[in-house]
Amino acid sequence: MRAKIFRSIFAAALLIGLQFWPACGVEFPQPTPTPHPAPIPQPSPGPQPTAPEFSYSTWANYGLLPPQIQAQVLTALNECFPGEGSLTLSTVPGEIYLATVRQGGMPSFASMVSFLTNWRLPDTLGRGDTIANVCTATAWRGKGLATQLLNRVIADFRTKRPGVKNLYLTVREDNTAARSLYQKLGFVQIGQVVDATRPGVPLLTMVLRFP
Ligand SMILES: CC(C)(COP(=O)(O)OP(=O)(O)OC[C@H]1O[C@@H](n2cnc3c(N)ncnc32)[C@H](O)[C@@H]1OP(=O)(O)O)[C@@H](O)C(=O)NCCC(=O)NCCS
């Protein structure tokens, strides 16, 4: 009987002890809140990359171009018109409008447009002043270079050949980028012939007319 009483008292004491455990237990030291870490100093933004500066020039003859630019022009034309070959630049009557950019201190090809005087046009159109070899190096596309060069050709054309009212070009029907470029400049389609270099893809003739 005594043992039973003793067990009851012990159980009651244990319950009471557990109830007050948090209060009567050993207080564990709480970690002191650490202050927020100081912001890591960011490196100051150094000189921002500047947009490349392009230089524009006009050349009366492909043969007058500096040799390293001549080589770059041919490489670019092969990239722009793979498998098509390019117009024989040295024998074409006309001018080359060129955009270059400095790389490693040297001028480097960026974009070109040929302006051909009295060039033979496809189909029944006879001859006319024509734009050809419109080509921007892949790295410099979408920066307005072809637009810049074509605007220069058009402005010069109007000054130098005031009596001539039509400026022509041809473009493959599937060349949506070039067609969009020409349409923005005001060229309209006037003809369609078979592209000898790619049968099945029509070659469109477009014209820019001046009043
Ligand atoms: C077509 C080409 C000459 C454009 O040269 P570019 O210097 O990049 O042209 P621009 O930056 O001046 O672009 C002028 C307009 O062309 C059109 N254009 C250019 N790239 C384009 C693309 N990838 N998709 C659709 N339209 C495009 C747009 O209308 C653009 O005007 P936006 O910038 O207001 O949209 C160039 O893509 C290229 O060399 N292509 C391969 C050669 C070629 O097809 N030549 C034309 C043969 S007829």
Side-chain angles (χ1 to χ4, degrees):
M1 180 65 181
R2 276 227 312 267
K4 200 172 172 187
I5 293 168
F6 180 76
R7 272 205 305 273
S8 301
I9 292 168
F10 178 77
L14 189 68
L15 272 176
I16 291 165
L18 281 176
Q19 198 177 345
F20 290 104
W21 170 258
C24 60
V26 178
E27 274 202 23
F28 293 103
Q30 295 297 310
T32 48
T34 48
H36 287 295
I40 300 165
Q42 296 296 317
S44 64
Q48 296 296 301
T50 50
E53 261 189 42
F54 299 100
S55 303
Y56 299 91
S57 55
T58 306
W59 302 80
N61 188 309
Y62 166 74
L64 296 175
L65 289 170
Q68 83 274 13
I69 297 286
Q70 277 185 23
Q72 290 173 9
V73 164
L74 285 180
T75 304
L77 286 175
N78 283 325
E79 282 170 11
C80 278
F81 309 103
E84 285 184 23
S86 56
L87 294 174
T88 314
L89 289 167
S90 48
T91 58
V92 164
E95 292 169 298
I96 292 176
Y97 286 71
L98 198 66
T100 55
V101 62
R102 286 197 96 74
Q103 281 190 320
M106 298 290 288
S108 173
F109 174 89
S111 185
M112 75 171 289
V113 170
S114 290
F115 170 72
L116 314 176
T117 316
N118 205 18
W119 187 250
R120 185 172 55 79
L121 294 162
D123 213 6
T124 54
L125 289 167
R127 302 184 82 84
D129 292 341
T130 306
I131 280 166
N133 293 329
V134 182
C135 171
T136 299
T138 322
W140 303 116
R141 287 184 189 170
K143 298 187 184 307
L145 289 180
T147 306
Q148 276 269 356
L149 289 174
L150 285 164
N151 277 327
R152 281 160 196 258
V153 173
I154 292 164
D156 282 0
F157 172 77
R158 297 207 70 180
T159 311
K160 292 178 188 167
R161 295 175 67 75
V164 185
K165 302 296 180 195
N166 296 324
L167 184 56
Y168 298 92
L169 59 81
T170 55
V171 58
R172 286 214 316 255
E173 191 182 46
D174 61 357
N175 193 343
T176 47
R179 286 177 62 192
S180 163
L181 164 70
Y182 302 142
Q183 276 161 7
K184 279 192 178 167
L185 291 164
F187 284 85
V188 291
Q189 184 188 335
I190 52 163
Q192 180 174 314
V193 292
V194 173
D195 183 354
T197 61
R198 234 201 201 192
V201 182
L203 193 62
L204 310 180
T205 308
M206 301 183 86
V207 68
L208 182 62
R209 292 199 175 94
F210 302 103

